[in-house]
Amino acid sequence: MPATWVPNVDPASEFSLANIPFGIISTPADSSPHPAVAIGSSVLDLKVLAAEPDFGKVFPSLQDGAHVFSANSLNAFAALGRPVHRQVRKDIQELLSEGTAHAAFLRDNAALRERALLPQRGVKMHLPMEIGDYTDFYAGRHHAYFLGVMFRGPQNALQPNYTHLPVGYHGRASSVVVSGTPVRRPWGQILLDPAAEPKVPTTAPCRRLDIELELGCFLCKPNEMGTPVGVDEAEEHIFGYVLLNDWSARDIQTWEYVPLGPFNSKNFCSTISPWVVLADALEPFRTKGIENETELQDYLREAREDNVLDIRLEVDITTPEGDTTTISRTSAKNLMWSFPQMIAHHSLGGCPMRTGDLLGSGTISGTEASERGSLLEISEGGKKDIMLCGMDTRRFLKDGDTISIRGRCGGEGERVGFGDCVGRIYSAIQR
Amino acid sequence: MPATWVPNVDPASEFSLANIPFGIISTPADSSPHPAVAIGSSVLDLKVLAAEPDFGKVFPSLQDGAHVFSANSLNAFAALGRPVHRQVRKDIQELLSEGTAHAAFLRDNAALRERALLPQRGVKMHLPMEIGDYTDFYAGRHHAYFLGVMFRGPQNALQPNYTHLPVGYHGRASSVVVSGTPVRRPWGQILLDPAAEPKVPTTAPCRRLDIELELGCFLCKPNEMGTPVGVDEAEEHIFGYVLLNDWSARDIQTWEYVPLGPFNSKNFCSTISPWVVLADALEPFRTKGIENETELQDYLREAREDNVLDIRLEVDITTPEGDTTTISRTSAKNLMWSFPQMIAHHSLGGCPMRTGDLLGSGTISGTEASERGSLLEISEGGKKDIMLCGMDTRRFLKDGDTISIRGRCGGEGERVGFGDCVGRIYSAIQR
C-alpha cells in the first residue's frame, strides 16, 4: 500500500489507505446527511467532490456521482454493485496516494481540500444505510453452545437444527441506530421469580440488560421474490460490514420468547458502527470458520473454505465513574456459518432481499472465558461478578454504563477498522 | 347514509358510500402508482382530483393535496393523522352524495368525471403502503389453543405467557405483496420423518403449504424510540385495516422454529387486500373480543370494552379445475388482544413504530369446525381430508389452487369491505 499525502494519518489508524470505509455525515457547511469516506482522523466529503467539474475524470466508473453522493444514505451507491464499489475504492485510494495521477484535482487544490477534507471530530455521523429489513442470525456456535448448556445442560446444548441450518429470526429495522445514540433501559414484562407457580409477571424496567457482540453485514444486490441466491453467488450481494451491538433484555426475553422467539427483549435498540467497511477491504482477512461436522445440504456447501473474517474484536465497559475495563477480546472468525450461507438460507424459500438489508451474525464468543460476547456468558448466567477497574463489579449493565466495541484487522500502516460502536445506558423512563 | 350519484353502485357492494377505502392504483392514462378510493365498481382517482384548481375548496383540510395524492404510497396521507383522514373521508362522501354542495366540481363536470371516475377492472392495484416493519401477532386465542392442543395436549395448550401479553414476532416486510401476486411454493429444510433419530433434514419443496386468515392493521402515527404508546392513545396511531393471508410452510416451520421462532416458513410471501379501510369506517362494527380472565398488567388495560371489530370473514379455495368451496366462515372479533393492546405492548420497551408499519392479528379462528382460519386446523393437523366441491379433497394446498379471502361488515347499501385478498399457488422452482 503506498503512503498517503493526507496529513496526520497515524500508522496505528484503523482508517488507513487500505480501508476507505463509507459513511453518512453532516458537516458545519452542509447539514443534510450525505456520503463520505474516512481516512486517518479526517473524512473526505464525497458530495463536495462529486460537485466538481472534473469528478467524472477521477471516477470514470460513476456515471452519476452527483446523484449517488448527494443521497442521505449509501443505498444508491451500494445498489451499483461490487465491481463499482471496488473501482471507486481504488480510485479514492489512488486520489489520496502520494504519487496520485490526479494531484491537481485534490492534493494540490487547496480550496477544494479545505472544503472536502474535514476533521472527523467536526462532523456528525448518521445511520449509513436505509435498512429495509434486519435479520439476526445465531451463527456463533460457542455462544449458542454456552447458552444451551446453561438452559438445557451439555447433552442437549445445541438444538437438533443448529448444525443443519443457520438459525435466525427477523429483527426490527426501525430500532437500528448509529453509534453514540443513547440507549434507554426498556420496561417489559418480567417474571421476578421464574420458579413460582402460577407464573405471574411484573411490568418493570429490565434488570438483566445485556450486550451482544456481533458483526453486521449490509446487502447491496437484491434478489427477486421466488428466486434464491446461490451460496457461491452470495458474495456479490454483500456491500460491507459494520460492528453490531444487539442490546438484549434477558429477563424480558426469558418470559416472552416461547413459542415465537425474541420480541421486546430485542426491539428497543441495536447499535451499529458508523462506517461500512467494504467487503473488498476485508478480503485479505478471510479465514476458516468453526468446523461443522454435519453433512451440509447442497445449497449450503461453499466452494471456498476461508468463508469468515478474522477481525479482532474488543468490548470495553466504562462505568459512570469513568473507569474503563476491556471485558472481552475475541475474533469474528468464531462463526460456524458464513454470511454467504446465511444469505443462501434466508432466500432458499424465495424471500426477497433488498439493497440496504442488514444481517447480524449472532453473538460472537470464543472458547475461553476472556472471549465471550455477552455479559450473560461472562457472568455465567448472572451468577458471577465481573470484576472491573475501579473496584467495581457487574453482572448486567447499570444506568450510566457505556459499552464500546472495536473491530480491527491488519498491522500498522494498513489497518482496517470500523470506528467505535458505542452506546450509553440511560435510566428507564418514569411511568 | 345518503345515496350516491355515482352510477352502478350495487346495494350489495362492499364499497358503499359508507366505506371509502384508500388504495394505490395505476391507470391506462397514468402508469405511475398513485392514490385512489373505491366506490361501487369504480375508483375515484385522487391524483387527478388534486390537480384541479378548485381541489382546495372541496378538501380544505388538505394543505398539500397535490403532494399527498401524487405519492406512490399512502404513507404521506396516513402521516397527516386521524383527524385529517376523518375529514377527507367525509369530504369524499359529501362529494359523491346526490345532494353534494360541490356538484360543479365533479358530478356535473363530465370532462373531469371521465378522467377521475374509472372502472375498477381497468386499473391495476399496487401495495397501498410502504411498509417499514411488519409484525405478526398471535391474538387469535381459539387458533392458539387449537394448535396448542395438537402439539402439547389440552392441559398445556396455551403457553404461560399467552394470557399475559400479546405474543408476536417480527415478520419480513419485503415479503408483503398485494392481492393477486403469484405465490411460489417455497423450498425449505424439512424433516420427512420427524420421529426418526438422528434428525436429518431434506431440502425439498414445501409439502404442507397453508394459509393464515388474519386482519392487518396499518399505523399512521409514529412514536419516538424510548417512548411507549399508551393503550388508550393507540387508536390515534391506527390508519386502517386490510385482510392478510400469512402463507405458511408448516413442514419448514416445525423444523426451524426452535428456539428463535418462524423464519423461512413465513418470509416467502404474505398477501394483503388492496384497499385500506380507514379505522373510522369500521367504528360502527366495534364489539367485545374473546374474554381474557387473567388480570392484566396496567399498560394493557383499556378504557373501552368494544375493542375488536366484527368483520365477517370468508375463505374460498378454488381448485385448478375451477371448483370453488368456502372452507371457513368466521369473524374478526375472535381475537383476545386488540390492536391498541398490541401497539401498547409492542412499544412498551420503547420500540419505535413508524407510519406504514403493518401489524398482523395472528390467525383468526372461531370455536366451531366451520370457523377455522388455517388448513392445519381444518384438516386437524393434516390428518383429515377437507371435502371440496368437484369431488376433490385437500389437507394442504396444491399447485394451481387459489385462495380468496373476503371481509365484510354492515348491510345492503352501507356495506364496508376490503376487496378480495387473493393468491394462487405456483409450483416450486426447478433446482
Side-chain angles (χ1 to χ4, degrees):
Chain A
M1 190 56 55
T4 175
W5 54 260
V6 176
N8 304 319
V9 178
D10 193 305
S13 174
E14 59 185 333
F15 301 127
S16 73
L17 205 56
N19 191 352
I20 311 296
F22 286 70
I24 293 289
I25 63 168
S26 55
T27 69
D30 185 351
S31 64
S32 171
H34 58 274
V37 294
I39 177 75
S41 57
S42 303
V43 300
L44 180 64
D45 187 322
L46 297 172
K47 185 177 176 186
V48 167
L49 283 202
E52 290 294 301
D54 284 348
F55 180 80
K57 287 184 196 150
V58 182
F59 295 94
S61 64
L62 277 176
Q63 297 297 313
D64 192 3
H67 166 70
V68 164
F69 288 149
S70 61
N72 64 5
S73 78
L74 296 172
N75 290 44
F77 176 59
L80 298 176
R82 287 288 297 268
V84 173
H85 312 155
R86 195 169 294 137
Q87 188 57 49
V88 169
R89 176 166 163 268
K90 266 190 200 158
D91 291 340
I92 293 174
Q93 286 173 327
E94 151 69 14
L95 185 67
L96 300 179
S97 292
E98 257 176 7
T100 175
H102 301 290
F105 180 74
L106 182 63
R107 191 192 78 185
D108 301 342
N109 182 342
L112 180 59
R113 250 179 18 235
E114 191 166 324
R115 288 186 299 121
L117 205 57
L118 307 165
Q120 257 176 56
R121 61 173 180 282
V123 306
K124 184 169 153 52
M125 302 302 303
H126 301 265
L127 208 56
M129 305 287 282
E130 191 183 328
I131 302 169
D133 278 290
Y134 160 45
T135 299
D136 201 20
F137 285 90
Y138 196 48
R141 188 188 186 281
H142 303 315
H143 167 77
Y145 180 79
F146 198 94
L147 261 62
V149 170
M150 220 183 292
F151 292 130
R152 293 177 296 273
Q155 296 310 312
N156 303 300
L158 295 179
Q159 299 287 350
N161 58 14
Y162 189 82
T163 61
H164 289 283
L165 58 84
V167 169
Y169 71 101
H170 304 121
R172 178 83 192 174
S174 72
S175 68
V176 179
V177 300
V178 72
S179 176
T181 306
V183 181
R184 180 70 68 181
R185 179 182 299 273
W187 285 73
Q189 280 200 24
I190 295 165
L191 279 189
L192 293 182
D193 181 359
E197 290 291 345
K199 296 186 190 301
V200 178
T202 304
T203 304
C206 168
R207 296 168 189 210
R208 291 163 73 95
L209 187 56
D210 200 355
I211 61 165
E212 291 199 336
L213 169 62
E214 302 196 22
L215 192 62
C217 172
F218 276 114
L219 301 188
C220 54
K221 186 174 170 177
N223 65 298
E224 265 182 52
M225 178 172 267
T227 307
V229 179
V231 69
D232 288 326
E233 293 134 42
E235 194 65 38
E236 286 300 301
H237 291 248
I238 296 178
F239 176 51
Y241 297 89
V242 290
L243 304 175
L244 168 62
N245 184 350
D246 191 32
W247 308 91
S248 296
R250 300 298 180 193
D251 40 6
I252 298 171
Q253 188 174 354
T254 311
W255 172 233
E256 76 176 0
Y257 92 106
V258 176
L260 298 185
F263 187 58
N264 280 351
S265 55
K266 299 282 191 169
N267 67 21
F268 58 98
C269 191
S270 301
T271 302
I272 62 173
S273 55
W275 296 101
V276 181
V277 177
L278 296 192
D280 284 305
L282 292 164
E283 273 293 315
F285 310 106
R286 282 177 166 280
T287 187
K288 202 167 171 302
I290 298 171
E291 181 94 23
N292 185 354
E293 287 171 9
T294 298
E295 191 181 349
L296 291 185
Q297 301 288 304
D298 282 346
Y299 77 94
L300 292 171
R301 274 190 210 142
E302 288 174 281
R304 63 189 305 168
E305 285 215 324
D306 53 343
N307 60 359
V308 302
L309 298 166
D310 188 9
I311 303 166
R312 301 187 298 275
L313 301 169
E314 290 184 341
V315 182
D316 280 0
I317 182 169
T318 302
T319 62
E321 293 74 30
D323 295 305
T324 297
T325 311
T326 300
I327 52 173
S328 185
R329 282 190 181 86
T330 185
S331 163
K333 73 182 176 186
N334 284 307
L335 297 175
M336 201 185 68
W337 298 103
S338 69
F339 281 104
Q341 287 174 318
M342 297 181 219
I343 293 167
H345 180 68
H346 203 321
S347 62
L348 172 65
C351 177
M353 306 177 78
R354 298 175 291 191
T355 302
D357 283 354
L358 175 63
L359 309 180
S361 62
T363 308
I364 299 170
S365 293
T367 50
E368 303 301 313
S370 60
E371 296 181 310
R372 295 169 183 166
S374 70
L375 298 178
L376 186 65
E377 290 163 273
I378 306 175
S379 70
E380 296 181 9
K383 296 199 184 93
K384 220 183 95 183
D385 282 339
I386 304 166
M387 306 305 295
L388 304 183
C389 302
M391 303 287 286
D392 212 344
T393 63
R394 287 291 180 282
R395 296 186 181 189
F396 294 99
L397 295 170
K398 283 192 178 169
D399 292 347
D401 285 348
T402 300
I403 291 287
S404 182
I405 297 175
R406 287 181 303 282
R408 294 190 187 154
C409 322
E412 294 237 324
E414 48 183 23
R415 196 154 279 161
V416 173
F418 295 81
D420 282 2
C421 177
V422 177
R424 184 174 191 207
I425 308 301
Y426 287 75
S427 58
I429 58 164
Q430 299 292 320
R431 286 179 75 95
Chain B
M1 189 60 52
T4 176
W5 55 260
V6 176
N8 304 319
V9 177
D10 193 306
S13 173
E14 58 185 335
F15 302 126
S16 73
L17 205 56
N19 191 351
I20 310 297
F22 285 70
I24 293 289
I25 63 168
S26 55
T27 68
D30 186 351
S31 64
S32 171
H34 57 274
V37 295
I39 177 76
S41 57
S42 304
V43 300
L44 180 64
D45 187 322
L46 296 171
K47 186 177 176 186
V48 167
L49 283 201
E52 290 294 300
D54 284 348
F55 180 81
K57 286 182 196 151
V58 183
F59 296 95
S61 64
L62 277 177
Q63 296 298 313
D64 192 3
H67 167 70
V68 164
F69 287 147
S70 62
N72 64 5
S73 78
L74 296 172
N75 290 44
F77 176 60
L80 299 176
R82 288 289 297 266
V84 174
H85 312 155
R86 195 169 294 137
Q87 189 56 51
V88 169
R89 176 167 163 267
K90 267 191 198 156
D91 291 340
I92 293 173
Q93 286 173 326
E94 152 68 16
L95 185 66
L96 300 179
S97 292
E98 257 175 5
T100 175
H102 301 290
F105 180 74
L106 182 64
R107 191 192 77 184
D108 301 342
N109 182 342
L112 180 60
R113 250 181 16 236
E114 191 167 324
R115 288 187 298 123
L117 206 56
L118 307 166
Q120 257 177 57
R121 61 173 181 280
V123 307
K124 183 169 154 50
M125 301 302 304
H126 301 266
L127 209 56
M129 305 287 283
E130 191 182 329
I131 302 169
D133 279 289
Y134 159 46
T135 300
D136 201 20
F137 284 90
Y138 196 49
R141 188 188 187 281
H142 304 313
H143 167 77
Y145 181 79
F146 198 93
L147 262 61
V149 170
M150 219 183 296
F151 292 129
R152 291 177 298 274
Q155 295 311 311
N156 303 300
L158 295 178
Q159 300 287 350
N161 58 15
Y162 189 83
T163 62
H164 289 282
L165 58 84
V167 169
Y169 71 101
H170 304 121
R172 178 83 192 175
S174 72
S175 68
V176 179
V177 300
V178 73
S179 176
T181 305
V183 181
R184 180 69 69 180
R185 179 182 299 272
W187 285 72
Q189 280 199 24
I190 295 165
L191 279 190
L192 292 182
D193 180 0
E197 290 291 345
K199 295 185 190 303
V200 178
T202 303
T203 304
C206 168
R207 295 166 191 214
R208 292 163 71 96
L209 187 56
D210 200 355
I211 60 165
E212 292 199 335
L213 170 61
E214 303 196 21
L215 192 62
C217 172
F218 276 114
L219 302 188
C220 54
K221 186 175 170 178
N223 65 300
E224 265 182 53
M225 178 172 265
T227 307
V229 179
V231 70
D232 288 327
E233 293 134 42
E235 193 65 40
E236 285 300 300
H237 291 248
I238 297 177
F239 176 50
Y241 298 88
V242 289
L243 305 175
L244 168 61
N245 184 350
D246 191 32
W247 307 91
S248 296
R250 299 298 179 194
D251 40 6
I252 298 172
Q253 188 174 355
T254 311
W255 171 233
E256 76 176 0
Y257 91 107
V258 176
L260 299 185
F263 187 58
N264 280 351
S265 55
K266 300 282 192 171
N267 67 21
F268 59 97
C269 191
S270 301
T271 302
I272 62 172
S273 55
W275 296 102
V276 180
V277 177
L278 296 191
D280 283 306
L282 291 164
E283 273 294 314
F285 310 105
R286 283 177 166 281
T287 187
K288 202 167 171 301
I290 297 171
E291 181 94 23
N292 184 354
E293 287 172 7
T294 298
E295 191 181 349
L296 291 185
Q297 302 288 305
D298 282 345
Y299 78 94
L300 292 171
R301 274 190 210 143
E302 288 174 280
R304 61 189 306 169
E305 285 215 322
D306 52 346
N307 60 1
V308 301
L309 297 166
D310 188 7
I311 303 166
R312 301 185 299 275
L313 301 169
E314 288 183 343
V315 182
D316 280 0
I317 181 168
T318 302
T319 62
E321 294 74 31
D323 296 305
T324 297
T325 311
T326 300
I327 54 173
S328 186
R329 283 191 180 85
T330 184
S331 164
K333 74 181 176 188
N334 284 308
L335 296 174
M336 202 185 69
W337 298 102
S338 69
F339 281 104
Q341 287 174 317
M342 297 181 218
I343 293 166
H345 180 67
H346 203 321
S347 62
L348 172 65
C351 178
M353 305 177 79
R354 298 176 290 190
T355 302
D357 283 353
L358 175 63
L359 309 180
S361 62
T363 308
I364 299 170
S365 293
T367 49
E368 303 302 313
S370 61
E371 297 180 309
R372 294 169 184 165
S374 69
L375 299 178
L376 186 66
E377 290 163 275
I378 306 175
S379 69
E380 296 181 9
K383 295 197 185 94
K384 220 184 95 182
D385 282 339
I386 305 166
M387 305 305 295
L388 303 183
C389 302
M391 304 287 285
D392 212 346
T393 63
R394 287 290 181 280
R395 295 184 183 192
F396 294 99
L397 295 171
K398 284 192 178 168
D399 292 346
D401 285 348
T402 300
I403 291 287
S404 181
I405 298 175
R406 287 180 303 282
R408 294 191 187 153
C409 322
E412 294 238 324
E414 49 182 23
R415 195 154 281 161
V416 173
F418 295 80
D420 281 4
C421 177
V422 178
R424 185 174 190 206
I425 308 301
Y426 287 74
S427 59
I429 58 164
Q430 299 292 321
R431 288 179 75 95

